[in-house]
Amino acid sequence: MRIILFSSRQYDSDTFVEANAAHNFQLHFQESHLDAETAVLADGFEVVCPFVNDLVDAATLERLHQGGTRLIALRSAGFNHVDLHAAQRLGIPVLRVPAYSPHAVAEHAVGLILALNRRLARAAARTREGDFSLHGLLGFDLHGKTVGVVGTGMIGRVFARIMAGFGMQVLTYDPGQPAEDLVALGARYVPLDMLLADSDVVSLHCPLVPDTYHLIDEAALNKMKRGAMLINTGRGGLVESNALVGALKSGQLGNLGLDVYEEEGGLFFEDHSNLPLQDDTLARLLMFPNVIVTAHQAFFTREAMNEIAQTTLGNVAAWESGTPRNVVTLQA
Ligand code: NAD
């Protein structure tokens, strides 16, 4: 079985080669992004393994199909970048890694909160320059404040438990079933508007689906407590990026931590440090002292990477043996 991994980097080949010891698939690591034009590179590969910013739309899938692709094995949990209708029409199953390490993403969200609140990046840059002053570094106690968790699936639940450990009040919003362990911890499920109005920190952990596209827009930002903090480690499209600049300028939004960005495709996971940044909104966001942007790295721990590689290759093996698992369905 020949598998091509698009958008792959050294860290992907390191973990996939190790995980492949249990399978012996023929792995081909391709640095290129996958789209309708680069799909030709997959000719002759039965299995295509895209990453989160690859464009697996109808045109890409049709080109892959022509080249003999029979399976899409995503090495991600999210599948918002795949046209599932087109995949179904072409008879190409789509598999994913539903869970790898919810701790990795939840802990990164907590890292963003602490770094923003205590101005850690600024403080470290300052002491390195021999400036040991404290002005501009004033933070607040998380203890006793309120955190709003939007989406209490695997990641949101781990995140909520960590924040409860800080002594924060936990408000949650999720249209699905309440998580009993969180309710037992004292978390309160409330309507989204109430969560936005009452939280000092709002953290997004829901998937990007048509219902959640621009869940946080200008109107939602105006419903938040003045000066509150927003953290997005979910997907870029959950937040209307242009609305963030105005909210930060006016002080309505006090702090912003982004691990994902609406227009991150073609930018994140790559070194653009020698090039002029073409995205004016991102350029403006990066100028605020109370904004931290990380480039979709919340998943990036050793444990998560190993689990992603093992599950992805295990998914391909299960499909090959006629017992597919972790299949993405249209209803998912
Ligand atoms: P999950 O499926 O376990 O949980 C998602 C939760 O969101 C579910 O409880 C669901 O009911 C809820 N939800 C659905 N629609 C909602 C809405 N309109 N409002 C509020 N909640 C809603 O998924 P998970 O493993 O916890 O992952 C959550 C998201 O995190 C993923 O969809 C993915 O986009 C993102 N993610 C990001 C990274 C990263 O590296 N930054 C890594 C993994 C996952």
Side-chain angles (χ1 to χ4, degrees):
M1 185 71 60
R2 300 183 73 215
I3 306 176
I4 182 168
L5 294 90
F6 279 90
S7 300
S8 62
R9 301 287 179 268
Q10 185 65 47
Y11 43 80
D12 295 300
S13 49
D14 290 347
T15 49
F16 271 80
V17 165
E18 197 180 320
N20 195 34
H23 301 282
N24 220 13
F25 293 124
Q26 282 182 53
L27 303 180
H28 180 82
F29 297 97
Q30 176 55 251
E31 250 192 62
S32 298
H33 169 82
L34 171 64
D35 59 26
E37 276 181 23
T38 60
V40 62
L41 296 168
D43 280 3
F45 287 90
E46 293 116 308
V47 182
V48 168
C49 180
F51 197 46
V52 288
N53 288 333
D54 287 322
L55 185 64
V56 198
D57 61 4
T60 305
L61 284 162
E62 273 154 26
R63 184 61 191 81
L64 291 175
H65 186 250
Q66 272 176 34
T69 297
R70 291 159 55 215
L71 178 70
I72 301 290
L74 302 175
R75 56 181 196 279
S76 61
F79 49 87
N80 51 287
H81 51 311
V82 184
D83 185 332
L84 293 176
H85 290 277
Q88 191 180 56
R89 176 167 47 79
L90 294 163
I92 303 178
V94 178
L95 313 180
R96 69 176 182 130
V97 183
Y100 35 93
S101 169
H103 305 282
V105 183
E107 289 172 12
H108 190 76
V110 177
L112 288 173
I113 293 170
L114 293 172
L116 282 164
N117 179 23
R118 309 309 294 266
R119 311 274 176 238
L120 296 182
R122 201 174 184 191
R126 228 183 241 191
T127 52
R128 190 162 290 150
E129 290 295 313
D131 176 356
F132 301 104
S133 67
L134 297 184
H135 63 91
L137 303 183
L138 189 67
F140 60 90
D141 282 11
L142 290 171
H143 181 90
K145 302 291 187 308
T146 301
V147 63
V149 186
V150 180
T152 54
M154 283 173 291
I155 297 170
R157 277 165 59 191
V158 172
F159 172 79
R161 283 202 298 270
I162 298 173
M163 298 324 286
F166 274 83
M168 295 190 84
Q169 308 296 319
V170 180
L171 297 181
T172 45
Y173 169 73
D174 192 312
Q177 287 297 312
E180 282 172 20
D181 56 331
L182 294 189
V183 175
L185 259 184
R188 281 193 303 129
Y189 278 84
V190 296
L192 182 60
D193 282 0
M194 191 186 287
L195 179 149
L196 295 175
D198 292 350
S199 299
D200 300 287
V201 177
V202 173
S203 192
L204 307 179
H205 300 287
C206 54
L208 177 61
V209 289
D211 267 3
T212 58
Y213 178 70
H214 285 182
L215 185 76
I216 304 296
D217 56 8
E218 192 182 344
L221 287 164
N222 284 330
K223 287 176 190 161
M224 287 173 67
K225 240 187 207 183
R226 187 168 175 79
M229 181 187 291
L230 176 67
I231 302 292
N232 187 10
T233 58
R235 281 289 181 269
L238 297 174
V239 177
E240 188 185 0
S241 318
N242 288 325
L244 293 170
V245 174
L248 285 159
K249 279 167 86 173
S250 72
Q252 171 60 18
L253 190 57
N255 287 287
L256 172 68
L258 298 180
D259 183 55
V260 286
Y261 176 65
E262 227 180 334
E263 303 296 334
E264 69 179 52
L267 203 53
F268 283 14
F269 309 124
E270 288 165 28
D271 181 1
H272 285 246
S273 56
N274 283 324
L275 302 167
L277 184 53
Q278 299 297 323
D279 186 319
D280 292 350
T281 304
L282 182 59
R284 183 67 184 95
L285 289 174
L286 290 168
M287 293 314 293
F288 288 99
N290 49 348
V291 172
I292 291 185
V293 178
T294 53
H296 208 139
Q297 73 173 79
F299 72 98
F300 198 48
T301 65
R302 264 191 296 279
E303 291 78 2
M305 290 298 287
N306 290 339
E307 191 60 38
I308 287 170
Q310 284 165 18
T311 305
T312 304
L313 296 182
N315 284 346
V316 176
W319 170 78
E320 195 182 19
S321 65
T323 52
R325 64 180 205 200
N326 296 327
V327 179
V328 185
T329 61
L330 281 169
Q331 296 74 39

